[in-house]
Amino acid sequence: KGRRSVLVRAEGINPEIRKSEEEVVDSVIVTELSKPLTAYCRCWRSGTFPLCDGSHVKHNKSTGDNVGPLLLKRQ
Ligand code: FES
């Protein structure tokens, strides 16, 4: 646990997953959603958590990280 907290401070929230991508964004297609698109935060910095409010952009710029939201899309 102690090692993980050191990695987060030194390299951002994502130390190794899909680092070649500008932002790690995943989509899930579902058939029943009230809204056509819902974005869930995966950077833990959203002011509207668990929903994404775009705060990951500032986090990525300041840390060099590449985190992005999980997108739920209505089919
Ligand atoms: Fe956290 Fe967008 S604000 S992923």
Side-chain angles (χ1 to χ4, degrees):
K1 186 175 180 180
R3 184 171 184 269
R4 172 94 178 117
S5 63
V6 169
L7 285 175
V8 169
R9 267 187 244 121
E11 302 175 21
I13 201 167
N14 176 16
E16 61 187 40
I17 297 173
R18 293 159 50 187
K19 293 302 276 187
S20 63
E21 299 175 25
E22 186 174 334
E23 284 187 356
V24 179
V25 178
D26 296 300
S27 298
V28 177
I29 305 297
V30 293
T31 55
E32 294 186 27
L33 281 176
S34 59
K35 295 190 290 184
L37 175 67
T38 303
Y40 282 89
C41 176
R42 295 192 299 180
C43 75
W44 297 90
R45 283 154 179 83
S46 175
T48 59
F49 195 88
L51 301 178
C52 171
D53 69 354
S55 295
H56 63 271
V57 174
K58 181 179 176 186
H59 165 76
N60 288 346
K61 282 184 182 170
S62 65
T63 64
D65 214 343
N66 67 342
V67 295
L70 171 67
L71 303 178
L72 296 185
K73 298 176 181 177
R74 185 167 60 201
Q75 195 170 31

